[in-house]
């Protein structure tokens, strides 16, 4: 299920380095996964998605990896920039039913 | 393309008062969602509309929350009476059709109940 708490995990990276944000999902029947980015005062913004019949998908500077065996999802951001600083959420969906969001990870980029 | 619009952006009320939020989805999007996002957590779905019909309201506290989408476009979410634990950001999202997983979110309304 969802983890709950005021203290989100935080990842601090140096500008230009690569970032890896991890997510454990709970429903083995989930067939679609999405990563969202949420900046302060804004709604979540779609980054990249992946279906369960894939284990890797690449976008512009981002890659999502899916390991169904251990129910783990990761988001890799190449050459992290200050504008990437935000809270990142993974979300899972099972057969077109509602999206279930994880608790989120704060990404801080140091210049 | 204009995004999802929400108003107000911020609202402060006392407990037991009523409040309403408004959402205008992206033009042509048939599916509309209301989420509640408590500080430090991911968004939680409250209700999903397909045009003007309710698809899923299983997590809506129906004793105090209500939502409508009368003409299949704009939607309002109401809380009556509010409790302290209702303090959260209320997000509206829309998608072109159900089963289309990509949802577009509005900026949200930050509600503080004192």
């Amino acid at each position: 299920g969802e983890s709950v708490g005021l203290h989100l995990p935080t990842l601090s990276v140096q500008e230009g380095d690569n970032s890896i944000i991890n997510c454990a999902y709970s429903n083995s029947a989930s067939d679609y996964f999405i990563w969202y980015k949420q900046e302060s005062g804004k709604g979540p913004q779609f980054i990249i998605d992946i279906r369960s019949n894939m284990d890797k998908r690449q976008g512009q500077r981002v890659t999502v990896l899916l390991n169904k065996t251990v129910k783990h999802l990761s988001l890799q951001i190449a050459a992290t920039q200050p504008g990437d600083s935000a809270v990142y959420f993974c979300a899972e969906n099972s057969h077109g039913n509602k999206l279930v969001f994880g608790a989120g990870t704060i990404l801080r980029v140091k210049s | 393309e204009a995004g999802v619009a929400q108003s107000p952006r911020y609202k402060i009320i006392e407990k037991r008062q009523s409040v309403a939020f408004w959402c205008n989805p992206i033009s042509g999007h048939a599916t509309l969602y209301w989420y509640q996002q408590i500080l430090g957590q991911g968004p939680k779905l409250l209700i999903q509309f397909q045009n003007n019909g309710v698809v899923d309201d299983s997590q809506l506290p129906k004793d105090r929350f209500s939502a409508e989408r009368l003409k299949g476009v704009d939607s309002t979410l109401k809380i009556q009476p509010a409790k302290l634990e209702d303090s959260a950001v209320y997000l509206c999202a829309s998608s072109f059709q159900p089963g289309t997983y990509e949802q577009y979110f509005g900026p949200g309304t930050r509600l503080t109940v004192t």
Side-chain angles (χ1 to χ4, degrees), chain B residues 45-81:
Chain B
L45 180 68
L46 292 175
I47 189 167
Q48 176 183 341
F49 291 94
Q50 173 63 18
N51 295 312
N52 60 351
V54 175
V55 173
D56 183 349
D57 64 356
S58 58
Q59 298 192 99
L60 187 74
K62 299 180 187 64
D63 58 333
R64 298 183 301 105
F65 286 64
S66 65
E68 60 183 13
R69 194 183 183 201
L70 293 176
K71 296 182 180 179
V73 181
D74 294 5
S75 177
T76 57
L77 176 69
K78 298 180 181 178
I79 308 175
Q80 180 179 8

Side-chain angles (χ1 to χ4, degrees), chain A residues 13-49:
Chain A
V13 300
Q14 196 67 37
E15 180 179 359
D17 287 351
N18 297 334
S19 303
I20 300 176
I21 301 171
N22 296 304
C23 175
Y25 64 94
S26 56
N27 187 354
S28 56
S30 292
D31 60 354
Y32 183 74
F33 305 87
I34 311 175
W35 279 101
Y36 282 92
K37 171 186 180 183
Q38 188 172 25
E39 297 174 277
S40 181
K42 297 183 179 180
Q45 178 186 4
F46 174 92
I47 302 173
I48 192 168
D49 59 0

Side-chain angles (χ1 to χ4, degrees), chain A residues 1-3 5 7 13 17-20 27 35 40 50 52 54-55 65 68 74 80 82 84-85 90:
Chain A
E2 299 177 19
S3 59
H7 302 288
V13 300
D17 287 351
N18 297 334
S19 303
I20 300 176
N27 187 354
W35 279 101
S40 181
I50 188 167
S52 59
M54 304 171 68
D55 53 20
L65 299 178
K68 294 182 289 294
S74 68
T80 312
D84 295 327
S85 293
C90 66

